[in-house]
Amino acid sequence: MGSDRTVGVLVLAATPIGDTADAPPRLLAELTGADVVAAEDTRRLQRLADRLGIRITARVVSYFEGNEAARTDELAEQLRQGRRVVLVTDAGMPSVSDPGYRLVRAAIDADVRVTAVPGPSAVLTALAVSGLPVDRFSFEGFAPRKAGERARRLAEVADDPRTSVWFEAPHRLTDFLTEAAAQLGGDREAAVCRELTKTYEEVRRGPLAQLVAWAADGVRGEVTVVIAGATAVAVDEAAAVAEVAARVAAGERTKPAVAAVAEATGIAKNTLYEAVLADRRPTTDGK
């Protein structure tokens, strides 16, 4: 894959999250055809190249959290000069809880093409094997390390109907699951996916309270947690109408009473207001 010297290209290349056999053929072509390879860990890149049986002749530079801000300008200049820059991280897709976002923005600002080599993703892999709803989901990345911030972050998704996907370090997993159970309820279904695609892959499914007990003995390896979204609570419209009637009988005006009950029950305000008016209309029995 020769270099196009007339225009630079930034290639975000996904790398295996465990099994090297998952590497797509295009990853090998991009690594061997690049002008510059920016790697989160250059030693891990070399080990990957050895396992893939390829030789990288491009200039290899490190690009990790500690030097990401400073090195972005340098790589952006390479792109402006027409170089083909391939960005890889330790596992999965660059920019997804990994270095890459700054460089993507810099490339876009420089009117440089940005493309990607699709490949393994811990987020989608965990979601797929979790057994939880996949029609709507949110990726939450790593939870905050501080207990208070972690509690607030989890509280934010307590009422979200979407399945959520989280990354977590194994030594913090018990604390995370404990707080998740406190904020979302111990009966909320979840799955802890450990060492995905690797030899000791394990997926533990069950209520959060059960997973807390399992994790208490210690967990090793890369961890992705998938948590079910909030279940919609069935609302009794007749009871809501009765509550509005009781508030009005106690002296509250109809519209404020409807607004308060609608907010508390989740019923659309207009729907509830129409139901209240319908309840007040005299009934006819055909006589």
Side-chain angles (χ1 to χ4, degrees):
M1 185 179 297
S3 300
D4 182 350
R5 295 296 178 183
T6 64
V7 61
V9 180
L10 172 61
V11 182
L12 307 177
T15 54
I17 60 175
D19 191 341
T20 306
D22 291 335
R26 191 172 155 218
L27 173 63
L28 281 66
E30 290 290 357
L31 289 175
T32 55
D35 296 309
V36 180
V37 177
E40 185 176 11
D41 186 325
T42 58
R43 291 168 298 181
R44 291 186 66 160
L45 171 64
Q46 186 56 57
R47 290 196 294 270
L48 174 63
D50 291 343
R51 291 196 300 271
L52 294 175
I54 62 174
R55 180 169 175 264
I56 299 175
T57 57
R59 177 189 173 211
V60 176
V61 298
S62 63
Y63 190 74
F64 60 98
E65 185 178 0
N67 72 354
E68 185 178 2
R71 182 142 281 170
T72 293
D73 287 344
E74 175 188 335
L75 291 173
E77 180 58 30
Q78 293 291 313
L79 290 167
R80 283 190 289 268
Q81 292 178 10
R83 306 291 195 276
R84 191 176 192 88
V85 176
V86 176
L87 175 63
V88 295
T89 53
D90 291 346
M93 178 62 70
S95 200
V96 181
S97 278
D98 276 334
Y101 173 75
R102 284 190 178 94
L103 186 54
V104 170
R105 286 306 319 171
I108 292 171
D109 291 343
D111 199 25
V112 168
R113 180 184 170 217
V114 179
T115 187
V117 176
S121 164
V123 177
L124 296 181
T125 302
L127 186 68
V129 304
S130 69
L132 298 173
V134 299
D135 53 333
R136 297 178 64 204
F137 71 94
S138 66
F139 173 54
E140 301 296 329
F142 282 94
R145 296 185 181 187
K146 294 182 179 179
E149 294 177 5
R150 182 169 58 236
R152 285 190 290 273
R153 179 78 171 278
L154 283 161
E156 290 175 359
V157 303
D159 298 323
D160 193 331
R162 298 175 298 175
T163 298
S164 59
V165 184
W166 306 75
F167 287 162
E168 191 52 277
H171 63 279
R172 291 195 298 269
L173 179 62
T174 301
D175 290 341
F176 172 80
L177 293 174
T178 299
E179 191 60 58
Q183 298 296 329
L184 312 180
D187 59 346
R188 183 76 67 95
E189 290 294 320
V192 176
C193 307
R194 187 181 71 83
E195 294 289 87
L196 286 169
T197 78
K198 299 178 183 177
T199 302
Y200 298 104
E201 176 181 279
E202 180 180 21
V203 180
R204 286 276 180 165
R205 306 175 182 88
L208 282 168
Q210 180 180 316
L211 293 173
V212 170
W214 164 74
D217 293 332
V219 174
R220 294 182 178 181
E222 301 287 336
V223 174
T224 305
V225 182
V226 186
I227 304 177
T231 302
V233 178
V235 177
D236 187 336
E237 186 177 284
V241 170
E243 174 64 19
V244 172
R247 284 171 172 261
V248 171
E252 193 171 348
R253 297 181 64 181
T254 299
K255 285 190 176 181
V258 167
V261 175
E263 183 177 358
T265 61
I267 299 176
K269 186 163 59 175
N270 289 343
T271 300
L272 180 56
Y273 186 71
E274 290 298 325
V276 168
L277 294 182
D279 185 64
R280 292 176 178 175
R281 296 187 189 110
T283 58
T284 59
D285 56 9
K287 293 182 180 178

